[in-house]
Amino acid sequence: MNAFEKRPLALGAAVFLLTSALLFSCSANLKLSIAVSCAAVAAVLLIMSGIKSGGLYETLRPIKGALLLCLCAVMLSSLISLFCVSREYDEVSVYIGNECFVRGYVTDTVYESSYGGYYKVQLTEIDGSEVSFGALLDLGFSAGLEAGDIFSAEVSFDELDDDGYFEEKSYYSKDGIIASLLCEDDAVFSVVGTKEGITYQMIALRSKISAILEVMTERAGESEGAYGIPEALLVGDRSNLDDTVYRDFKYIGASHLLAISGLHFSVLIGGFEAILKRMGAGRRVRALLIIAASIFYMAFSGFSSSVLRAGIMMIIYSLSYFSRREPDRITSLFVSGALIVAASPYSAADTVLLLSVTAM
């Protein structure tokens, strides 16, 4: 607890992050009960502060501020999880077991072959009603979908499987995916457009960089597939990684180095800052450029949780130069984690994010 002394913002963010993770899978009634209980206790503390009498008040006075902060953090995390997570699960439960007409767009490819494919999608419409939640689309035919493709289809709704050899619900919940869609007839499926935005421009940029790496390694006379390692390190795509290379990395326990993470972010941003120093850039100019580079790399990496944590920490750290305050890594760490969960409540179930924060 010494780490949180005189760091109220870090304390509140840490409690918010912890509570969000613990309450993620709890029932809506429990979340509501906790939020109401925290509000009631906070109200009692405030009333006691006005009366300023009684032994209990004197006992709690030294920790009243920290206690109020923690109660507010727990109440806020409970309400966010209630209205953003539990509400969506209740909303999708109405469609389970039914066939519906849906519209949405592809966010990522899980698996694809000449016989079909699995895709992460974001639904925007079900039977004419506007919705907004993630789902796993299972196609029984080859569609060649890419991230950003807008589609319409007649699908069968089902729950994510959590009883078989692969626990889909536990694995995909961090991405906001709460249902499974099945479409086996290509006659009721069509691609109607392409979604625009910075995310999909970054996907196109990653594809171009992958192509450049392939050409460069071929010109250097390297063996086919030799560009798999630099592609994994820079772009985060391990699909072209040689099987023996990946096996060797797993054998020595270093397979995590082949995924874009906070480590890659720190190395790249550290190198960028060293270049700026050599060029004679001032402290504030460096801070502004580092913030811009951090935002770019977060988008380029697909806003992966570990890079988001490192990126937000770096942004908070750089902003401290303008507020003329000493940078505090502990506050930056927990505030970055809390901001990610507040912006995307399903991130509370992301083991990578939680391990990234606790490891730091």
Side-chain angles (χ1 to χ4, degrees):
M1 291 300 294
N2 292 335
F4 296 105
E5 288 184 5
K6 299 182 180 179
R7 290 187 176 99
L9 191 57
L11 176 62
V15 172
F16 175 86
L17 190 61
L18 177 62
T19 309
S20 298
L22 293 176
L23 292 179
F24 182 83
S25 300
C26 295
S27 66
N29 289 334
L30 178 60
K31 294 174 184 178
L32 181 60
S33 299
I34 290 176
V36 172
S37 299
C38 289
V41 174
V44 171
L45 285 177
L46 290 174
I47 293 173
M48 290 174 59
S49 299
I51 298 175
K52 293 184 179 181
S53 62
L56 182 59
Y57 170 76
E58 294 298 330
T59 303
L60 294 176
R61 185 168 61 176
I63 61 169
K64 183 191 68 175
L67 185 56
L68 281 173
L69 181 63
C70 292
L71 288 171
C72 290
V74 173
M75 181 175 64
L76 182 61
S77 65
S78 302
L79 292 176
I80 289 177
S81 185
L82 172 65
F83 290 109
C84 297
V85 177
S86 298
R87 181 183 60 82
E88 289 189 356
Y89 273 105
D90 291 340
E91 182 181 353
V92 78
S93 64
V94 178
Y95 303 103
I96 298 299
N98 298 328
E99 292 189 358
C100 307
F101 176 81
V102 301
R103 288 176 64 94
Y105 57 91
V106 179
T107 59
D108 197 8
T109 300
V110 178
Y111 169 77
E112 195 173 49
S113 70
S114 57
Y115 304 101
Y118 291 90
Y119 304 91
K120 296 178 184 179
V121 300
Q122 185 73 15
L123 296 184
T124 57
E125 182 183 318
I126 300 178
D127 289 339
S129 302
E130 291 186 2
V131 297
S132 180
F133 59 80
L136 187 66
L137 176 63
D138 179 6
L139 294 182
F141 51 89
S142 178
L145 297 179
E146 296 181 354
D149 284 346
I150 303 173
F151 67 91
S152 61
E154 290 184 13
V155 300
S156 299
F157 266 82
D158 198 0
E159 294 180 339
L160 291 173
D161 184 16
D162 219 7
D163 298 324
Y165 69 94
F166 178 65
E167 297 181 349
E168 290 182 337
K169 186 175 181 180
S170 302
Y171 183 79
Y172 289 114
S173 60
K174 66 181 187 302
D175 300 318
I177 294 176
I178 58 178
S180 177
L181 313 178
L182 175 63
C183 181
E184 297 182 306
D185 186 1
D186 59 355
V188 295
F189 181 88
S190 61
V191 177
V192 297
T194 303
K195 192 173 181 62
E196 302 292 337
I198 183 66
T199 301
Y200 305 100
Q201 292 174 1
M202 290 294 105
I203 292 173
L205 178 60
R206 292 200 295 270
S207 299
K208 290 180 180 178
I209 291 178
S210 295
I212 292 172
L213 290 173
E214 183 177 7
V215 172
M216 290 176 63
T217 52
E218 287 179 354
R219 288 180 178 177
E222 298 289 342
S223 60
E224 184 178 354
Y227 68 97
I229 292 180
E231 184 182 30
L233 293 174
L234 294 176
V235 182
D237 184 2
R238 294 187 285 185
S239 60
N240 295 308
L241 195 65
D242 187 86
D243 291 340
T244 57
V245 173
Y246 186 56
R247 180 202 61 196
D248 292 341
F249 270 87
K250 288 182 65 176
Y251 182 76
I252 64 174
S255 58
H256 61 283
L257 296 177
L258 296 174
I260 291 182
S261 64
L263 173 64
H264 299 76
F265 176 87
S266 301
V267 171
L268 291 174
I269 295 299
F272 180 61
E273 184 176 16
I275 293 173
L276 293 176
K277 285 183 178 179
R278 292 292 296 271
M279 294 174 61
R283 188 177 182 183
R284 292 197 172 189
V285 174
R286 292 203 309 271
L288 286 174
L289 292 176
I290 287 173
I291 291 173
S294 299
I295 295 173
F296 172 81
Y297 193 71
M298 285 190 292
F300 179 78
S301 68
F303 297 102
S304 66
S305 56
S306 56
V307 173
L308 268 177
R309 189 268 306 159
I312 295 176
M313 279 187 68
M314 181 60 70
I315 291 173
I316 295 174
Y317 186 82
S318 300
L319 287 174
S320 66
Y321 293 142
F322 299 96
S323 62
R324 296 183 179 182
R325 298 187 63 180
E326 188 68 24
D328 181 44
R329 295 181 184 274
I330 293 178
T331 300
S332 300
L333 172 64
F334 286 104
V335 168
S336 64
L339 287 175
I340 293 172
V341 173
S344 178
Y346 286 96
S347 298
D350 189 352
T351 307
V352 174
L353 172 65
L354 298 177
L355 287 176
S356 178
V357 173
T358 52
M360 284 290 294

